[in-house]
Amino acid sequence: MRPIAFFTWNGQTFIERWMRRGSVLSMAVLRPFLYAANRVFATRIVHTVLRGVSRDRLDLLGEEYFQYKLKPQLKPEGVRELKELIDSGAEVVLVSQGLDQVMGPLARHLGAKWVIANRLEFREGIATGRLVDPVIRPRGMFARITGAGPDGTRATDQLIRDLSLDSSGSPAIEALQSAIVPAARRLPVLERPIVHFDGEGRAEPLSVRAALAGKQVMLIGVTGFIGKVWLVNLLMDLPEIERIYLLVRRQKSNPAQRRFEKLVEESPVFDPLYKRHGAGLARFLRERVEVVEGDVSQPDLGLAPDVSEVLRKNLDLIVNSSGLTDFNPDLRDALLTNVDAAVNIVEFVRKSDHAGLLHLSTCYVAGTRDGRVTETLRPNYTPAGVANFDADVEWRSLHELVKRAAEKAESAAVMEELRRQALQKEHASKNLKGAALENQIRKNRVRWLRTYLTEAGKKRANELGWANTYTLTKSLAESLIHKYGAGLPIAIVRPAIVETSVEKPFVGWNEGINTSASLSYLLGTYFRQLPTNERKRLDVIPVDSVCRGMTLIAAAIVERRNAQIYQLATSVTNPCDMRRSIELTSLAHRKHYRALEGLESWLRLRFDAIPVSKQRYERMSAPAQKAIIKSIQRIVSPLPLPKAPLARAERSLEKVEKLVELFEPFILLNEHDFVAENVEKLAYALVPDERADFGYDTRSIDWWEYWINIHIPALRRWTYPLIEGRPLEARPARSFQLAEAESNGETVKTGTDGATWRYS
């Protein structure tokens, strides 16, 4: 009863916990009578209180119960003897009336591979409250004397009788063997065969090494999250590639080479390369990598004429992973980075001898719509279905909007308003005159124009059916690539929400706070009620899965066997809905706080986040709490207080409201299911000996393991400190210089200075 009570006392909601506690109390009273009547029936009844609990929660609580309740009670001598028996080669099967969620961790701790334990039935990851046959009943009060040997072993025939299996013969042995299950967590294997119909021939075998051997590739976006990982993976796994060019924009006085050197010095992504090559890393990179200084927002990519000529002649592939990923940035930046740059790159490809293009977009160009999103490109597409929409006309119209806004910012009416605001300021700009006043007005004008264009971009995106400026500009880029890149070997790659790595460059790499980091951080606080659609699938994909897909697609482009659109997503291949992702996030936080001491940690591990409707969120969560605070402030406003009470709490609640509003398209609205078949076809065609290095497989991702032991711990290590304003963990300082010095003391330019376009 103790593990069951532990499970019920740690339900997801407060109401659930108290209701289950009442049920456990009733079971405790009835237990002696039920066991006296029929021990198997009594065991089944006891476990019905777990109906409705998720497998994810039971798996974590089972590990927790073993770690903090059961493990301290193990006898060291018994553990030692059992491990010695297992080490001797004996096949040991642990048998217990406990649930396999508890017995599994115990067996793994002891080194046993097999268990016989009670197993709950699950449907869609939720316990039905029924036990799977055979039911392991309690042994009875005299079992220690009559049933087991002095070392805890049990005879096969006695075990068969205990499990109420057939009394004799091979059926009983077979039934016993079927009751033995692995101690490791069992995962469903999601396999999908590929069948070719109507004479459509099987795809020719694809070899990434053969396709990219001796090829020259230019990567745009190496300072970004995806770009860095793809570069390192390419350098680690594909020594056959001849050269990788890195297009880097000069950053004021910081030249391209220094940007790349700093990147290699500071980013943990390069740790595997340091580990493999040590002091020879600079020499290795000089042989493989060459950095060119340019600016993709400029014609001809801002390259020097001689460099441009060489690249046009030699490049086999351009990979554009650059992009401004802020949801609602200044419209000028969004157009320049996401649209203008894409058009310039396509024009460069057209003037090249034989280069292809892999362009990184996003699945969320689908916009505010529901349903299955196929791997097709619809030119001049708008989610709102605007008639006669032309992406080219819209692109030029948005540039005109930017131009008019700049002129409006210089108008007499706006300047007068900005002057009035500067004079009314209650801080440093009060009573300003002359040059100081003009300087303040100039700052106000810059701020006004940025705000105006941010709101204008968001408004236009919403009118056309996109949730934000980011997805609007990414979709415009796709349409313009289709128009200006007609006839060119181009593949547009649409990742979903790109998150923590599973394997490469190492387990648990993440950076930045532009994806789900801030939302998952919020769920680790006392904030509990997240407005969401429980059925909506949160489409998260590990960054190394994206990079594997990119490498396959790159090989397909070089061999001219690529499709036009590739989606890299999990909502169809391995779905994880919002209900589950919220619970997994809470369980990951619980595991972290359970290992800590103190009242704060004790309280936080009991505040599980729960999915709620938008109406309940507004009625009981942040909006309602902010309304109460405002009411208190109105009541006390006549009092001569130095500052408004609860002002800090009000600001925090406003931040929560803005964050939830920003993520609503991804957690509440728009039930997208992104098909990702084209990349699976490439992975299916991959030659067998390359599948370990380049295979793409999102169906085998264990979301429980990923969320609890990889993703959230990675965010806690690499991202949460940035949210809290703390420095990241200290790393050993390392110095890296790419340029090679000759004996005469002069520095020789190798051309191998790396970095990237400014946004990724």
Side-chain angles (χ1 to χ4, degrees):
M1 283 292 291
R2 290 180 181 178
I4 296 175
F6 179 79
F7 292 154
T8 57
W9 292 350
N10 290 281
Q12 189 172 14
T13 68
F14 293 130
I15 294 177
E16 176 188 350
R17 293 170 191 173
W18 284 106
M19 291 180 64
R20 294 187 189 279
R21 287 175 186 178
S23 299
V24 169
L25 181 60
S26 302
M27 292 294 179
V29 174
L30 296 174
R31 182 187 179 195
F33 305 101
L34 293 173
Y35 278 10
N38 188 303
R39 282 181 287 168
V40 172
F41 176 73
T43 303
R44 290 186 182 276
I45 291 296
V46 166
H47 286 86
T48 59
V49 299
L50 298 179
R51 175 185 174 89
V53 182
S54 71
R55 183 195 293 269
D56 295 327
R57 181 168 294 274
L58 290 173
D59 283 350
L60 181 81
L61 292 177
E63 286 192 355
E64 185 178 316
Y65 183 83
F66 165 73
Q67 186 69 29
Y68 297 100
K69 304 290 185 180
L70 188 58
K71 185 178 177 181
Q73 299 179 25
L74 296 178
K75 297 180 179 179
E77 183 64 22
V79 171
R80 183 184 61 80
E81 291 182 3
L82 184 56
K83 286 187 175 182
E84 288 177 354
L85 179 63
I86 294 173
D87 292 340
S88 69
E91 287 287 344
V92 174
V93 179
L94 298 186
V95 183
S96 172
Q97 64 171 321
L99 279 174
D100 62 344
Q101 276 79 14
V102 176
M103 291 305 299
L106 171 62
R108 294 193 292 271
H109 173 71
L110 297 174
K113 296 181 179 179
W114 309 97
V115 298
I116 297 178
N118 281 317
R119 292 171 290 152
L120 282 167
E121 178 189 68
F122 293 91
R123 292 182 183 176
E124 296 184 352
I126 303 297
T128 63
R130 292 192 287 268
L131 290 177
V132 178
D133 288 330
V135 175
I136 316 300
R137 63 188 183 184
R139 293 183 297 168
M141 65 179 64
F142 300 111
R144 293 178 182 271
I145 302 173
T146 63
D151 57 354
T153 59
R154 203 150 182 90
T156 302
D157 56 346
Q158 180 63 45
L159 185 58
I160 290 174
R161 288 194 296 272
D162 289 344
L163 300 180
S164 300
L165 302 176
D166 293 341
S167 59
S168 63
S170 59
I173 299 297
E174 293 174 0
L176 178 62
Q177 290 176 342
S178 67
I180 301 174
V181 296
R185 291 186 67 249
R186 296 176 300 282
L187 305 173
V189 179
L190 303 175
E191 294 183 354
R192 186 186 183 199
I194 295 180
V195 181
H196 299 275
F197 295 99
D198 299 329
E200 184 180 328
R202 290 177 58 88
E204 291 295 323
L206 173 65
S207 170
V208 171
R209 298 191 188 281
L212 297 180
K215 297 300 185 292
Q216 300 191 29
V217 177
M218 182 164 73
L219 172 62
I220 306 169
V222 71
T223 56
F225 181 41
I226 296 174
K228 282 198 293 288
V229 174
W230 192 69
L231 172 65
V232 171
N233 290 354
L234 214 60
L235 292 171
M236 293 286 291
D237 300 332
L238 203 62
E240 295 87 352
I241 202 164
E242 181 176 334
R243 184 159 292 276
I244 304 172
Y245 295 91
L246 304 176
L247 180 63
V248 182
R249 188 181 66 93
R250 185 181 184 88
Q251 203 173 56
K252 295 183 179 179
S253 60
N254 197 15
Q257 177 165 319
R258 185 54 202 150
R259 288 190 67 191
F260 182 61
E261 290 173 346
K262 188 172 174 129
L263 194 73
V264 177
E265 288 173 353
E266 297 180 355
S267 177
V269 172
F270 291 89
D271 288 355
L273 285 173
Y274 268 101
K275 185 176 180 180
R276 176 180 291 186
H277 298 283
L281 179 59
R283 182 177 64 256
F284 170 78
L285 290 180
R286 279 195 292 271
E287 295 171 353
R288 297 286 193 281
V289 177
E290 183 171 340
V291 177
V292 293
E293 192 166 291
D295 186 340
V296 292
S297 66
Q298 302 299 319
D300 206 28
L301 309 187
L303 297 167
D306 56 335
V307 175
S308 176
E309 183 179 354
V310 171
L311 291 178
R312 284 176 178 161
K313 180 180 179 181
N314 295 333
L315 282 179
D316 298 287
L317 178 69
I318 297 175
V319 176
N320 177 29
S321 70
S322 66
L324 180 55
T325 57
D326 293 347
F327 287 164
N328 291 301
D330 186 324
L331 183 58
R332 292 171 294 184
D333 294 334
L335 288 173
L336 190 70
T337 310
N338 292 344
V339 188
D340 299 358
V343 174
N344 291 335
I345 294 170
V346 169
E347 184 62 25
F348 187 86
V349 172
R350 184 168 293 283
K351 295 177 181 179
S352 299
D353 287 358
H354 57 279
L357 172 63
L358 188 159
H359 173 79
L360 223 58
S361 183
T362 173
C363 281
Y364 293 96
V365 294
T368 53
R369 51 160 288 195
D370 295 330
R372 199 173 183 88
V373 181
T374 58
E375 294 176 288
T376 55
L377 193 155
R378 296 167 57 186
N380 303 314
Y381 164 77
T382 61
V386 177
N388 301 318
F389 177 81
D390 188 302
D392 202 334
V393 172
E394 179 68 20
W395 173 40
R396 300 179 193 281
S397 174
L398 290 175
H399 274 293
E400 284 297 320
L401 187 154
V402 170
K403 183 179 178 181
R404 291 195 302 271
E407 294 172 351
K408 185 175 182 180
E410 301 286 349
S411 66
V414 172
M415 292 295 291
E416 182 60 31
E417 175 63 19
L418 295 176
R419 180 181 296 274
R420 184 183 64 80
Q421 291 176 4
L423 291 173
Q424 289 180 349
K425 288 281 186 180
E426 297 180 357
H427 49 275
S429 59
K430 187 175 182 180
N431 299 324
L432 292 178
K433 298 179 180 179
L437 177 59
E438 293 302 319
N439 186 51
Q440 183 62 44
I441 293 173
R442 182 187 60 80
K443 291 180 180 178
N444 289 353
R445 184 171 67 250
V446 171
R447 188 181 302 112
W448 180 92
L449 182 58
R450 183 172 60 248
T451 302
Y452 181 90
L453 288 174
T454 299
E455 292 301 318
K458 182 179 179 181
K459 179 181 178 183
R460 184 55 178 164
N462 296 158
E463 291 172 351
L464 297 174
W466 283 285
N468 48 51
T469 307
Y470 167 64
T471 50
L472 161 65
T473 52
K474 280 293 189 181
S475 183
L476 288 178
E478 285 194 8
S479 292
L480 293 174
I481 289 172
H482 175 80
K483 177 177 180 178
Y484 293 107
L488 296 175
I490 297 176
I492 296 174
V493 180
R494 298 172 176 168
I497 302 172
V498 185
E499 288 291 0
T500 306
S501 63
V502 172
E503 180 185 2
K504 297 178 180 180
F506 51 82
V507 177
W509 164 245
N510 206 323
E511 68 175 352
I513 55 177
N514 283 340
T515 50
S516 66
S518 51
L519 199 60
S520 65
Y521 177 84
L522 182 65
L523 297 183
T525 64
Y526 294 111
F527 177 84
R528 296 191 66 246
Q529 304 187 57
L530 185 67
T532 186
N533 178 353
E534 293 187 36
R535 301 184 308 275
K536 177 180 170 59
R537 295 172 176 180
L538 182 66
D539 205 315
V540 167
I541 182 168
V543 64
D544 44 346
S545 294
V546 171
C547 292
R548 283 174 175 262
M550 289 171 61
T551 303
L552 284 172
I553 297 163
I557 295 172
V558 170
E559 291 196 348
R560 301 299 189 260
R561 57 186 290 182
N562 61 286
Q564 185 181 29
I565 296 291
Y566 291 89
Q567 291 181 164
L568 307 180
T570 59
S571 52
V572 172
T573 58
N574 191 358
C576 181
D577 58 36
M578 284 303 306
R579 179 209 64 78
R580 189 182 185 197
S581 61
I582 290 173
E583 184 171 24
L584 285 173
T585 302
S586 295
L587 292 175
H589 288 307
R590 176 188 178 91
K591 183 175 182 178
H592 170 75
Y593 290 123
R594 186 66 178 83
L596 302 179
E597 297 181 354
L599 179 61
E600 177 77 7
S601 299
W602 185 87
L603 288 173
R604 283 201 175 189
L605 68 86
R606 282 161 174 76
F607 275 76
D608 283 63
I610 57 175
V612 299
S613 66
K614 181 67 177 293
Q615 292 73 24
R616 175 170 171 174
Y617 163 74
E618 293 176 341
R619 188 174 64 250
M620 301 183 64
S621 191
Q625 294 166 15
K626 192 178 77 170
I628 293 173
I629 289 176
K630 284 184 175 295
S631 299
I632 295 174
Q633 289 175 336
R634 283 195 298 270
I635 293 172
V636 302
S637 59
L639 302 177
L641 300 175
K643 60 170 63 176
L646 303 176
R648 183 176 179 181
E650 182 182 6
R651 289 194 300 271
S652 298
L653 290 171
E654 286 178 351
K655 290 180 181 178
V656 170
E657 280 189 292
K658 290 180 180 179
L659 181 64
V660 170
E661 180 184 0
L662 189 65
F663 279 93
E664 274 188 358
F666 305 97
I667 64 175
L668 179 63
L669 311 173
N670 315 318
E671 293 188 39
H672 297 126
D673 291 334
F674 297 113
V675 175
E677 294 179 345
N678 287 338
V679 70
E680 288 196 324
K681 293 176 184 177
L682 292 179
Y684 185 78
L686 194 63
V687 295
D689 60 343
E690 294 185 7
R691 288 175 183 169
D693 289 329
F694 306 114
Y696 175 91
D697 178 20
T698 57
R699 297 176 185 273
S700 63
I701 298 173
D702 175 9
W703 291 121
W704 187 92
E705 176 68 22
Y706 179 77
W707 229 272
I708 294 176
N709 294 326
I710 298 177
H711 179 46
I712 298 301
L715 294 180
R716 192 173 293 281
R717 181 181 183 186
W718 304 113
T719 301
Y720 291 175
L722 303 178
I723 296 175
E724 296 173 350
R726 298 185 288 110
L728 295 176
E729 62 182 36
R731 291 169 48 81
R734 59 191 184 195
S735 178
F736 177 80
Q737 186 174 354
L738 199 57
E740 188 175 27
E742 290 187 342
S743 58
N744 59 10
E746 296 181 0
T747 299
V748 177
K749 292 287 186 178
T750 64
T752 319
D753 20 343
T756 179
W757 174 227
R758 57 176 171 179
Y759 299 112
S760 295

